[in-house]
Amino acid sequence: MIILGIESSCDETAVAIVKDKKEILGSVVASQIDVHKEFGGVIPEVASRIHVENISYCIEEALNQANMRMEDIDAVAVTQGPGLVGCLHVGVQAAKTLAFAYHKPLVPVHHLAGHIYANELVVDLEFPVLALVVSGGNSELVYMKDETSFEILGQTQDDAIGEAYDKVARVLDLGYPGGPKIDKLAREGKPVYQLAKPKTQGKYDFSFSGLKSSVLQFIKRMERLNQTYEKADLAASFQEAALGEIFDRVKAVLDDYPDVKHFVVGGGVSANSRLREKIAELNKLYPHVTFTVPPMSCCTDNANMIAVAGEIAYLSGRRADDSLTANAGLEIM
Ligand code: KG4
């Protein structure tokens, strides 16, 4: 099957053409990072306008790369949600137009499912799967007993982990996006500062807002006392606490769900070098589980993952008609 996937949930306009869930024939990602850098974060209205400017070019370029015409495509898949509603609308509208004009099936995809299925590009998923999705908008632990069932075991109660990285980086004056900057700085420091441990309700839920405030309070206290602190040590302390929050929950799930065969990750934060080290350590503790950390091109927002998720959804019978609308708070399906 040849699927054209469209992703526009946040600040990347992406279009990809993927064959049989594995072969990327064409893939374009137009990142808006340079624009949003100036504001220190994504401005939704600005992001939507740039999607409008980019989407047609991205579709054309993906088809050119694949050396294909719309007639060669079997179905059009699109991120329906969750995400920024104005941004999602651009992708959904483009997908509906293509599907209508070229008489192609239209397949709505959940963004999180896309991040999970991105792993299919490098490995066949073995079920039950435990997926950790960590990005600027998501922090979820998802249990999948088979290809089309999603059970959210844990999720953030406040900020997503990537959001916390970006906000802490702003306080430390490191620039946007903060994740890679903190990752790099933390390697030069040690986690010597004690930060508040967040409280959560559900056994597998996360919380990052208290940790972020704790970093802010620490800096204010040091300034008040006229004391100096090492930025690199503070970055390392924040990172250890944030990843500790994640990995305590992952371990708890792996202990409570001994049937899990495959652990996969997705989302921009899975680029983090310490997170990757921690996954390798975890692999040693659970040798019966296959651990997959896909290459970075699969982890950050892209449309390859939407095309793969689209093929799976298509084969399970999911279709939409021209009444499809973007859904910023879409539940996973
Ligand atoms: O998945 P993604 O590209 O976009 C969405 O959020 O949808 O993720 C972007 C997030 C940002 O918050 C960024 O700071 C974070 O991923 N990130 C990282 C690293 N690289 C990107 N966080 C921690 N360490 C990194 N190396």
Side-chain angles (χ1 to χ4, degrees):
M1 283 204 78
I2 296 175
I3 310 283
L4 184 142
I6 299 181
E7 155 65 35
S8 68
S9 64
C10 188
D11 60 342
E12 264 100 21
T13 322
V15 179
I17 297 167
V18 180
K19 185 178 175 194
D20 298 334
K21 297 188 291 181
K22 294 275 187 274
E23 200 183 335
I24 300 168
L25 303 175
S27 181
V28 182
V29 180
S31 172
Q32 307 177 1
I33 228 161
D34 287 339
V35 177
H36 299 298
K37 231 181 216 168
E38 291 182 27
F39 303 102
V42 178
I43 309 287
E45 174 62 24
V46 175
S48 314
R49 288 176 189 211
I50 304 176
H51 285 307
V52 173
E53 286 168 16
N54 287 345
I55 190 81
S56 312
Y57 295 111
C58 292
I59 294 167
E60 196 180 356
E61 176 59 17
L63 285 166
N64 284 343
Q65 283 180 11
N67 202 13
M68 283 183 168
R69 292 148 39 94
M70 270 311 291
E71 285 77 3
D72 305 315
I73 302 295
D74 292 313
V76 178
V78 63
T79 306
Q80 187 192 1
L84 301 170
V85 74
C87 296
L88 290 163
H89 266 304
V90 180
V92 168
Q93 201 53 42
K96 276 165 50 167
T97 308
L98 287 176
F100 178 73
Y102 292 94
H103 308 288
K104 302 291 174 187
L106 176 64
V107 186
V109 168
H110 191 280
H111 184 73
L112 210 65
H115 274 306
I116 297 171
Y117 289 132
N119 287 274
E120 276 278 355
L121 287 160
V122 289
V123 67
D124 288 329
L125 295 181
E126 302 163 58
F127 295 94
V129 161
L130 176 65
L132 170 68
V133 183
V134 275
S135 73
N138 299 96
S139 308
E140 273 103 2
L141 266 172
V142 185
Y143 174 83
M144 294 175 69
K145 82 174 172 330
D146 57 43
E147 211 171 35
T148 52
S149 83
F150 301 89
E151 189 184 343
I152 301 212
L153 297 180
Q155 58 192 324
T156 183
Q157 295 181 341
D158 36 61
D159 292 351
I161 182 167
E163 200 180 340
Y165 264 92
D166 293 337
K167 286 179 179 165
V168 167
R170 200 178 310 159
V171 176
L172 292 176
D173 230 358
L174 298 177
Y176 176 84
K181 307 247 163 67
I182 291 190
D183 188 2
K184 188 159 174 269
L185 186 62
R187 300 208 79 78
E188 296 160 23
K190 292 206 167 53
V192 291
Y193 300 126
Q194 196 72 36
L195 299 169
K197 198 160 168 45
K199 287 197 182 67
T200 48
Q201 311 230 299
K203 189 174 178 192
Y204 312 122
D205 284 337
F206 316 109
S207 164
F208 297 101
S209 164
L211 180 60
K212 173 197 70 191
S213 307
S214 177
V215 172
L216 192 63
Q217 281 158 10
F218 173 89
I219 295 172
K220 284 202 173 131
R221 192 168 65 244
M222 297 307 257
E223 283 171 358
R224 209 173 43 241
L225 299 172
N226 227 353
Q227 285 183 11
T228 56
Y229 63 92
E230 285 298 328
K231 256 191 193 184
D233 288 343
L234 188 54
S237 305
F238 162 75
Q239 176 157 281
E240 274 317 295
L243 295 180
E245 179 75 2
I246 297 273
F247 280 87
D248 285 354
R249 308 304 187 277
V250 172
K251 269 195 198 141
V253 174
L254 288 173
D255 289 338
D256 294 351
Y257 290 75
D259 60 334
V260 167
K261 284 208 184 103
H262 199 164
F263 175 82
V264 298
V265 288
V269 181
S270 46
N272 186 272
S273 60
R274 183 73 185 118
L275 176 137
R276 286 176 176 244
E277 276 172 19
K278 280 173 118 25
I279 289 177
E281 288 163 16
L282 207 60
N283 200 351
K284 290 189 195 132
L285 294 178
Y286 300 89
H288 62 284
V289 178
T290 306
F291 282 73
T292 300
V293 185
M296 267 326 295
S297 55
C298 299
C299 292
T300 50
D301 282 354
N302 63 79
N304 310 337
M305 66 186 201
I306 302 307
V308 176
E311 177 168 335
I312 293 165
Y314 176 84
L315 294 174
S316 77
R318 189 175 321 142
R319 301 286 185 278
D321 59 23
D322 56 10
S323 64
L324 183 73
T325 50
N327 183 346
L330 185 69
E331 301 269 326
I332 198 156
M333 48 194 168

